Amino acid sequence: MSNVETHPSELICESTSGVAAVEVLDPRDVPLGGPRAMTVRRTLPQRSRSMIGAWCFADHYGPDDVSVSGGMDVAPHPHTGLQTASWLFSGEIEHRDSLGVHAVVRPGELNLMTAGHGICHSEVSTPETTVLHGVQLWIALPDAHRDAPRDFQHHVPEAVALDGASVRVFLGTVAGRTSPVRTFTPLLGAELVLEPGARLALDVDASFEHGVLVDVGAVELGGTALARGTLGYVGLGATALHLANVTDTAARVVLLGGEPLGEDLVMWWNFVGRSHEEIAHFRDQWQAESERFGQVDGYPGPRLPAPPLPMGRLRPRGNPPPAWQ
């Protein structure tokens, strides 16, 4: 059983530089998948903050001993209006989708799947996996591109040495490195490893909002303490992120950023849309095995059925400004 907090909270404090404030988002435990669900720690979305740029979903899991947890086995399920970004620290996940892609997600390698108009896929940890550990992230597509065709991109970013740290840039640009992976809005995604006691001032785009998700260790962001599993949010205007590893072992974080999407989303189950009626239509099409989503070949079992819609109407998720604005 995880010892993370199961409710969101916010901690507001000024950074040591006086130019940024940090909002701390605590994770909540969520079962992922069907009957053999594994538990993940979810920091996005939540009531106080739905998005960071176009990043609208962040699950952090592991390290899990798959001999105990059973690993990951998520049957074919649908998506609309988004991209999924899979990033692992250890273990492997077999990916199959209705575009016909059969790939293995490995540590330090980005797999980016575009759902757009509709796709379905399955995710299963491989038999060779002993410890499963990583993040699963969603990127909301802007209204102009949310019906984009199915797509799949794979990229292996090089680890680049910084002063007291290393970085792998899997989306966007930071520390002088740019990912070639195509996105539909300006975004940033990177893994940072901080050496024991390291302090790093990382130049960033002031037109982006940013989030730092702590995977291993305990770090400070702008002077605000972040425990393992928490996500520190910094709003627009910051030209640098000040990170410090306050422990005597290496720390690892995932850095997310992007220009604010500026659109209200309706998110339910695995769908991103713009209205209750649209989400209900997506659900009906999935249940009817519509060609909108296609089918996954090679998964040894049935696909996931959609859960019932809630009794009330689904409402758009706004993204309120930070409390200090």
Side-chain angles (χ1 to χ4, degrees):
M1 178 67 67
S2 171
N3 62 359
V4 299
E5 295 290 331
T6 56
H7 61 277
S9 66
E10 297 81 38
L11 173 64
I12 310 302
C13 67
E14 294 298 325
S15 73
T16 53
S17 64
V19 297
V22 177
E23 177 183 349
V24 179
L25 306 178
D26 291 329
R28 64 189 187 278
D29 287 354
V30 177
L32 178 69
R36 292 191 290 169
M38 62 179 284
T39 298
V40 301
R41 298 174 292 276
R42 183 164 298 167
T43 47
L44 285 178
Q46 55 181 271
R47 183 170 54 188
S48 64
R49 186 142 305 278
S50 297
M51 290 179 282
I52 297 175
W55 298 100
C56 62
F57 182 94
D59 275 356
H60 176 220
Y61 53 89
D64 285 336
D65 180 346
V66 301
S67 68
V68 176
S69 69
M72 181 180 292
D73 188 350
V74 185
H77 57 283
H79 289 293
T80 59
L82 57 81
Q83 293 177 298
T84 63
S86 301
W87 185 259
L88 287 177
F89 307 118
S90 67
E92 294 181 339
I93 296 173
E94 184 179 31
H95 164 101
R96 297 176 184 267
D97 67 35
S98 55
L99 183 62
V101 174
H102 179 202
V104 176
V105 186
R106 296 184 174 90
E109 301 183 6
L110 174 71
N111 281 6
L112 186 74
M113 183 185 74
T114 299
H117 183 72
I119 201 169
C120 61
H121 72 134
S122 62
E123 301 161 287
V124 181
S125 50
T126 65
E128 294 77 19
T129 296
T130 56
V131 176
L132 189 62
H133 186 187
V135 291
Q136 180 68 37
L137 309 164
W138 291 2
I139 303 162
L141 296 179
D143 189 65
H145 298 286
R146 65 191 182 98
D147 280 321
R150 300 168 189 165
D151 191 28
F152 186 89
Q153 299 176 73
H154 175 255
H155 175 53
V156 184
E158 177 187 2
V160 179
L162 305 175
D163 185 14
S166 66
V167 61
R168 295 180 188 269
V169 182
F170 53 84
L171 286 179
T173 299
V174 75
R177 294 290 169 141
T178 298
S179 166
V181 177
R182 302 179 305 278
T183 59
F184 292 86
T185 55
L187 287 174
L188 171 62
E191 174 190 302
L192 279 165
V193 177
L194 300 169
E195 297 173 4
R199 293 186 176 272
L200 177 68
L202 190 67
D203 292 338
V204 292
D205 190 331
S207 68
F208 282 20
E209 48 189 354
H210 294 88
V212 174
L213 174 62
V214 180
D215 171 55
V216 173
V219 303
E220 290 182 354
L221 172 62
T224 297
L226 299 178
R228 179 177 181 269
T230 60
L231 188 151
Y233 168 82
V234 175
L236 299 175
T239 58
L241 300 179
H242 296 268
L243 290 161
N245 179 1
V246 296
T247 72
D248 57 3
T249 59
R252 180 166 56 205
V253 304
V254 175
L255 173 61
L256 305 175
E259 291 183 359
L261 185 64
E263 299 178 17
D264 287 342
L265 307 178
V266 177
M267 293 178 58
W268 178 81
W269 195 40
N270 298 309
F271 303 131
V272 174
R274 297 301 188 276
S275 70
H276 174 95
E277 290 76 16
E278 190 174 49
I279 296 294
H281 183 55
F282 294 156
R283 182 190 182 278
D284 289 345
Q285 288 184 304
W286 173 247
Q287 294 296 88
E289 301 189 16
S290 163
E291 280 304 308
R292 179 183 201 109
F293 301 104
Q295 64 181 14
V296 174
D297 294 326
Y299 179 82
R303 60 191 204 150
L304 284 179
L309 284 166
M311 295 297 292
R313 286 183 59 81
L314 297 167
R315 297 182 179 276
R317 291 180 179 270
N319 212 27
W324 58 85
Q325 290 186 352

